[in-house]
Amino acid sequence: MVEKITLNLITCRSIQQGVGMEAGKTSKKYFDACSIIEMHEDDMKNLGILKNTNVRVTSATGSVVVKAVTTRQELVPGLAHIPMGPWANRIVSAYTYSTGEPCFKGFPVEVEPAPSEQILSAVDVVKDACGLLKK
Amino acid sequence: MPKVVTDVTCPFCGTLCDDLEITVSDDNKKILSVKNACAIGAEKFNHTKEPGRVTHPRMRQPDGTFKEISYDEAIDFTARMLVKSRKTLMYGWASTSCQAMSIGHEIAEKVGGIVDNCATVCHGSSLIAIQDVGIPSCTLGEIKNRADRVIFWGCNPAHAHPRHMSRYSIFPRGFFTVKGHKGRKIYCVDCRHTDTARVADTFIQVQQGYDYELLNAFRTAARGGPLPDEIGGVPKEKVYEVVEELKTGRFGVIFFGMGLTHTLGRNHNIDIAISFTRDMNEFTKFNIIAMRGHWNVTGSGQVLSWQYGFPYAVDLSRLDKARYQTGETTSVDLLTRNEVEACFYIATDPGAHFPIAAMISSSKKPTVTIDPHINCTTEISDVHIPVAMVGVETGGCAYRMDNVPIETRKVVDPPEGLLTDEEVLTRILNRVNQLMEEA
Ligand code: SF4
């Protein structure tokens, strides 16, 4: 067991994310669909966490708290997925290699257990970064 | 008596299904049921029933709360912002009609805006590649009627375009594809074993970020050249086997998505996928189609292209000519380099979909967002102008992912008093003209 692990992160659409988006960005459906990180079971074991534990995910760009889950869209160990949305985008680099296209897939992140930390709502996770969240 | 509206177009994804049947109450106010749509499409129509819809423009107050204002006040605020700013980012457009776009472009020409659409963070890489090497493509109708070799590369229609497979690419029986699924061979190339991989006959698991290498190997194999034992985690025997199977087909197609456009290599991944498609035409008929995401992102590319010659990131700030240079006039780069003076968002939510550095920059500028719903962007904007949902509460033209134009329909009335995108934009344009004449 280790305190944190380094994983390769991708961000993609999921049907739940799509449904959630149409239900509304402030809906529970959207929150449940997007404020998660899908991990391989081996990586969870390695980190000593159970499914549905909150974790802190940190990249060179930033850091965000999401819930670790497993998925039936199998990942290989070492690969993790956060559905596209404001949580994922807290840690996506804006560097575009002059293509206009940010680095949404394939960047290293550190994942550590954060069972006592809270997941911010979709709007708050953006406001927080912009310094607009009233504490 | 409730009535049934048939042949309704779904305004969610680039599949642009046009066979929905929607039952509405006799007063034309409420959607009672939705037939034929996938889970996402159904949610879009059903959402109109939910309470809590914003029906008045709102202005953010110093304490962070929002105050209702009139359309006139909101339009005046927007016009003044646009006239004052020397360089305004006018981003979005993928979820509105082509008619609304062309009004927006007229505003951009007047005030010197930069018009960019969601392709900028989606299939922008594909558009760059298409400009570089062209694209041998076809329509989805041809796929349905002819395709017997179908490759999904770095895309996951089971999640992102749920009815694509049943309407066009895997299951339907067509003129030359009378056996439907049985007569087709389906391949999926992805770094995850996605739900699309589950319905494929052959799943090729590529190591994340090695798509370019693997496509290069496909090209080499097609020409009968030698390969190393393993490419991006895929054994060479597999590559040779798949390429031979593809050659025996009568009509092949590659559908590709964000797995190629978002990973390292970006436009080069698409470039080589197109080149492979071209190579395959030595042996059989082969095509390639981008799995465009938003229902009318293709339309925005179309309208911009015929008006200015470029499909996105069109900089009109020089007033007399249009410029386009990815990395320079693309939204994320403009924002992270702090190069715009105001932001105007329409029918989109960059707050949810742009990297946070871009939104931090955006939040420091005067911002107006036009969108039917509250989202991550409206809540950090100075003014939010709610509008009718295009394709649900008002009609307009849209382009499917294969560049086929399809008319969307009005199914129900919008909540009372709500204006459409076209009406709001026309009023902004008129106000801009007035202000500029006065000045
Ligand atoms: S596949 Fe796309 S266009 Fe068709 S119903 Fe689903 S979301 Fe709508």
Side-chain angles (χ1 to χ4, degrees):
Chain A
M1 234 169 74
V2 291
E3 269 171 21
K4 40 174 102 164
I5 48 171
T6 303
L7 300 175
N8 184 19
L9 190 83
I10 56 174
T11 72
C12 308
R13 164 153 289 164
S14 72
I15 192 162
Q16 296 82 0
Q17 179 265 347
V19 171
M21 204 158 87
E22 288 311 329
K25 293 278 162 53
T26 52
S27 70
K28 182 171 182 307
K29 275 188 194 168
Y30 187 66
F31 180 86
D32 290 347
C34 299
S35 62
I36 55 169
I37 180 169
E38 295 178 348
M39 290 170 63
H40 193 275
E41 279 177 23
D42 290 357
D43 291 328
M44 284 196 180
K45 258 189 221 142
N46 210 346
L47 198 58
I49 57 166
L50 296 170
K51 278 192 262 203
N52 300 328
T53 309
N54 285 1
V55 291
R56 178 167 282 282
V57 187
T58 308
S59 73
T61 301
S63 181
V64 69
V65 179
V66 287
K67 187 168 76 176
V69 299
T70 52
T71 165
R72 82 188 189 127
Q73 300 203 87
E74 272 160 60
L75 297 153
V76 288
L79 187 66
H81 168 230
I82 302 184
M84 62 194 260
W87 294 274
N89 283 324
R90 281 294 294 263
I91 55 174
V92 167
S93 160
Y95 188 66
T96 77
Y97 296 87
S98 293
T99 62
E101 194 105 50
C103 199
F104 287 115
K105 292 184 173 66
F107 57 95
V109 292
E110 273 187 351
V111 182
E112 57 194 314
S116 54
E117 289 192 67
Q118 275 219 329
I119 304 175
L120 292 175
S121 75
V123 169
D124 285 355
V125 81
V126 179
K127 277 189 169 174
D128 172 53
C130 298
L132 295 170
L133 194 61
K134 295 263 164 348
K135 293 271 155 70
Chain B
M1 262 285 282
K3 54 175 185 249
V4 180
V5 192
T6 56
D7 303 321
V8 174
T9 307
C10 169
F12 179 79
C13 83
T15 312
L16 219 55
C17 298
D18 50 2
D19 62 342
L20 272 50
E21 284 181 15
I22 301 198
T23 312
V24 294
S25 60
D26 53 357
D27 59 357
N28 246 342
K29 287 206 158 51
K30 224 173 153 178
I31 291 179
L32 302 174
S33 71
V34 182
K35 240 171 89 179
N36 295 345
C38 71
I40 308 179
E43 187 73 42
K44 176 134 199 174
F45 285 96
N46 285 326
H47 184 108
T48 54
K49 282 191 278 199
E50 274 166 37
R53 199 60 194 271
V54 183
T55 51
H56 292 279
R58 304 177 302 145
M59 185 179 269
R60 190 152 53 104
Q61 305 299 304
D63 67 352
T65 58
F66 279 87
K67 191 183 117 201
E68 271 186 15
I69 55 174
S70 69
Y71 270 108
D72 283 337
E73 287 172 279
I75 283 158
D76 184 64
F77 180 95
T78 311
R80 282 179 195 282
M81 176 187 92
L82 291 169
V83 170
K84 183 162 175 239
S85 155
R86 285 167 301 174
K87 218 175 183 184
T88 305
L89 174 61
M90 300 175 71
Y91 169 78
W93 312 103
S95 298
T96 188
S97 66
C98 295
Q99 288 87 342
M101 290 167 198
S102 69
I103 305 168
H105 300 171
E106 212 177 321
I107 300 175
E109 282 183 31
K110 288 264 153 63
V111 301
I114 297 172
V115 184
D116 198 8
N117 59 42
C118 307
T120 206
V121 289
C122 192
H123 271 289
S125 317
S126 313
L127 297 167
I128 300 174
I130 292 167
Q131 286 158 353
D132 286 344
V133 291
I135 188 161
S137 200
C138 64
T139 64
L140 292 176
E142 287 178 274
I143 303 296
K144 174 186 170 186
N145 286 306
R146 295 174 188 272
D148 59 355
R149 298 287 183 272
V150 180
I151 307 172
F152 296 103
W153 200 308
C155 60
N156 189 7
H159 281 249
H161 302 85
R163 293 183 72 217
H164 190 278
M165 302 182 295
S166 61
R167 273 172 70 81
Y168 303 109
S169 49
I170 302 187
F171 303 109
R173 294 165 200 268
F175 197 77
F176 299 110
T177 49
V178 280
K179 288 198 199 136
H181 187 188
K182 278 210 197 82
R184 294 191 177 93
K185 271 198 164 296
I186 313 294
Y187 306 84
C188 176
V189 187
D190 209 293
C191 63
R192 293 185 296 161
H193 192 253
T194 58
D195 285 329
T196 302
R198 283 169 198 268
V199 285
D201 301 298
T202 305
F203 171 52
I204 301 163
Q205 188 153 28
V206 60
Q207 222 176 311
Q208 201 280 323
Y210 282 82
D211 300 272
Y212 187 92
E213 286 81 349
L214 189 58
L215 279 159
N216 208 351
F218 270 59
R219 286 193 80 184
T220 309
R223 291 160 187 219
L227 289 176
D229 291 345
E230 207 187 274
I231 312 98
V234 182
K236 68 173 176 191
E237 293 74 20
K238 184 95 172 186
V239 177
Y240 284 124
E241 184 193 310
V242 169
V243 169
E244 281 320 304
E245 278 176 14
L246 294 177
K247 285 184 184 175
T248 61
R250 283 175 296 134
F251 191 104
V253 61
I254 301 174
F255 289 105
F256 68 96
M258 304 293 101
L260 290 187
T261 66
H262 281 170
T263 37
L264 197 63
R266 309 283 202 291
N267 51 314
H268 300 289
N269 296 332
I270 318 304
D271 187 318
I272 196 158
I274 295 173
S275 300
F276 171 62
T277 308
R278 199 179 51 209
D279 292 354
M280 286 303 291
N281 276 293
E282 298 279 317
F283 309 100
T284 179
K285 176 82 184 138
F286 232 79
N287 304 276
I288 182 163
I289 294 183
M291 295 287 260
R292 305 301 300 269
H294 283 296
W295 61 278
N296 201 17
V297 66
T298 313
S300 175
Q302 287 281 349
V303 179
L304 282 173
S305 295
W306 63 253
Q307 292 191 327
Y308 308 110
F310 309 112
Y312 71 117
V314 180
D315 178 0
L316 299 164
S317 63
R318 303 230 172 139
L319 297 173
D320 60 343
K321 60 172 87 66
R323 290 173 68 248
Y324 156 88
Q325 178 63 59
T326 57
E328 195 188 323
T329 60
T330 31
S331 300
V332 171
D333 300 278
L334 284 168
L335 287 172
T336 47
R337 281 199 311 263
N338 252 315
E339 277 180 17
V340 289
E341 292 183 344
C343 300
F344 178 79
Y345 299 123
I346 173 156
T348 189
D349 186 9
H353 297 139
F354 276 6
I356 197 67
M359 289 323 288
I360 293 173
S361 162
S362 169
S363 71
K364 310 267 184 291
K365 307 187 189 314
T367 305
V368 172
T369 300
I370 302 180
D371 197 272
H373 306 294
I374 288 183
N375 62 35
C376 298
T377 312
T378 60
E379 298 317 279
I380 60 168
S381 300
D382 295 295
V383 168
H384 169 210
I385 309 180
V387 280
M389 292 167 72
V390 185
V392 181
E393 295 160 348
T394 178
C397 178
Y399 280 75
R400 202 167 62 185
M401 61 164 70
D402 54 351
N403 294 301
V404 171
I406 295 176
E407 202 62 28
T408 67
R409 283 181 163 226
K410 173 178 171 166
V411 186
V412 279
D413 292 332
E416 215 171 299
L418 265 195
L419 301 182
T420 63
D421 286 336
E422 282 179 61
E423 288 165 340
V424 170
L425 288 166
T426 307
R427 283 171 65 173
I428 293 173
L429 176 63
N430 292 340
R431 187 71 189 121
V432 164
N433 283 336
Q434 254 178 12
L435 289 171
M436 289 176 90
E437 268 165 36
E438 282 167 21

